[in-house]
Amino acid sequence: QQMMEQQMVKIQEQLKRKAEAEAEAGLEYDAVILTDVSSSFGAWHRASAGIPPQFAERVKSRVGARVPLLTAMIAFDTSSGITGIPFDASTFDHDVLWFASKNNSKPGINGNGTVNDDTNNTNGNGNIECWTLVSTPEYAMAKIEETPMQDPTTGSFIPQSPDYLTTVPGPDLLKAFQEELSNNYSDSIGD
């Protein structure tokens, strides 16, 4: 716990120095959009790194109820050809899976899975198609009840173990995605 808190402080200091350097160089932003209310929870969550405390308090006071979602990133090897999935993003009427989006379709990421960095070099394996899968809130709540993310006594964040990360929710979300593809898009993607 203490080591994690030290890492958080170090990350916050690095982000602060980077932000100060960017501001000096005229690289300021007009707005910053936070999509995870957990970023307002101080050291409780790693998403809170670098968020000014006074801003975090404003977020907490305005947001209201939280809706938990679990995510997983999956990668398909496309060296034998494209996956044939006929969409870049979709919602689903499934008990586990709510949304999926193809990362390769994002700006700055080439269609072949490589990433353009600041020097216009490409990084990564061009034979990978990555998807972000997002659970339903109901599935997330059930999993959070099974494996709490906060210590009930102290309220401190309980880091997810490597075992948890490879057993829940990734395999469940992948299975749901495969079911949806098989049931609704089998003509487009083949076997």
Side-chain angles (χ1 to χ4, degrees):
Q1 181 72 23
Q2 184 179 9
M3 193 165 105
M4 189 167 99
E5 289 174 8
Q6 290 171 341
Q7 278 185 310
M8 291 298 297
V9 168
K10 186 177 178 181
I11 291 169
Q12 287 174 335
E13 289 170 357
Q14 290 171 341
L15 289 172
K16 182 178 178 184
R17 284 192 303 271
K18 182 178 180 193
E20 289 169 351
E22 288 175 349
E24 286 178 28
L27 300 173
E28 295 181 28
Y29 299 95
D30 293 330
V32 175
I33 298 172
L34 302 174
T35 60
D36 183 352
V37 73
S38 297
S39 61
S40 66
F41 294 160
W44 183 81
H45 194 277
R46 63 187 163 273
S48 63
I51 304 297
Q54 64 275 23
F55 181 75
E57 286 303 317
R58 285 182 54 206
V59 171
K60 276 204 255 186
S61 70
R62 290 182 162 188
V63 171
R66 292 179 54 206
V67 177
L69 301 169
L70 297 175
T71 59
M73 179 169 285
I74 60 171
F76 296 111
D77 180 355
T78 60
S79 58
S80 60
I82 62 171
T83 61
I85 298 172
F87 53 84
D88 291 334
S90 182
T91 58
F92 303 97
D93 185 19
H94 193 281
D95 292 340
V96 173
L97 180 66
W98 170 52
F99 178 77
S101 66
K102 184 166 83 171
N103 281 21
N104 305 57
S105 298
K106 291 179 181 177
I109 299 180
N110 299 326
N112 64 2
T114 59
V115 179
N116 288 331
D117 64 17
D118 292 338
T119 61
N120 290 322
N121 293 322
T122 56
N123 301 309
N125 180 342
N127 297 324
I128 301 295
E129 184 175 295
C130 294
W131 287 79
T132 300
L133 308 179
V134 182
S135 75
T136 62
E138 296 81 9
Y139 172 83
M141 284 299 299
K143 295 304 168 187
I144 290 169
E145 287 175 12
E146 287 175 17
T147 308
M149 297 189 330
Q150 259 182 303
D151 183 285
T153 307
T154 66
S156 297
F157 176 65
I158 300 171
Q160 297 163 338
S161 70
D163 180 58
Y164 177 84
L165 294 173
T166 58
T167 58
V168 177
D172 292 346
L173 288 167
L174 175 58
K175 180 180 177 192
F177 189 52
Q178 290 170 325
E179 288 172 1
E180 286 294 318
L181 293 174
S182 176
N183 293 339
N184 299 305
Y185 301 99
S186 60
D187 292 341
S188 300
I189 60 174
D191 293 328

